[in-house]
């Protein structure tokens, strides 16, 4: 869960638009699809959970369900 160069350049509360938002979006999509959680992405970028969720949704990513893997009962 290494922080990226994009993560260190974002300031809390500052609007992210244009090319910077596209770059951040690509980075978040890559990291989310490789297994990082939305909360981990939010913490490493200094953005809110809602912001990261919105960016991923706008990018067309299929979001994972909450709670992780479930165990099946043995019959």
């Amino acid at each position: 869960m290494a922080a990226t160069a994009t993560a260190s350049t974002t300031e809390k509360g500052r609007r992210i638009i244009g090319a910077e938002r596209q770059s951040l979006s690509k980075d978040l999509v890559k990291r989310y699809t490789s297994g990082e959680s939305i909360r981990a992405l939010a913490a490493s970028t200094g953005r809110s959970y809602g912001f990261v969720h919105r960016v991923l949704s706008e990018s067309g990513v299929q979001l994972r369900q909450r709670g992780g893997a479930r165990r099946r009962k043995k019959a």
Side-chain angles (χ1 to χ4, degrees):
M1 299 197 214
T4 62
T6 307
S8 63
T9 60
T10 58
E11 299 166 15
K12 188 172 185 173
R14 188 174 63 82
R15 284 210 168 152
I16 311 289
I17 57 173
E20 185 180 7
R21 188 177 180 103
Q22 289 177 344
S23 173
L24 179 62
S25 174
K26 286 179 186 178
D27 181 50
L28 291 175
V29 167
K30 185 174 81 172
R31 291 169 59 191
Y32 182 77
T33 55
S34 71
E36 266 189 85
S37 70
I38 295 177
R39 291 200 187 281
L41 294 171
S44 69
T45 58
R47 306 304 295 187
S48 70
Y49 177 95
F51 175 83
V52 173
H53 186 277
R54 189 176 328 108
V55 168
L56 291 173
S57 296
E58 289 171 357
S59 299
V61 173
Q62 179 69 40
L63 298 175
R64 296 186 294 268
Q65 289 186 350
R66 295 175 54 179
R70 305 253 187 246
R71 290 189 178 184
R72 291 182 128 187
K73 290 183 180 179
K74 292 186 179 181

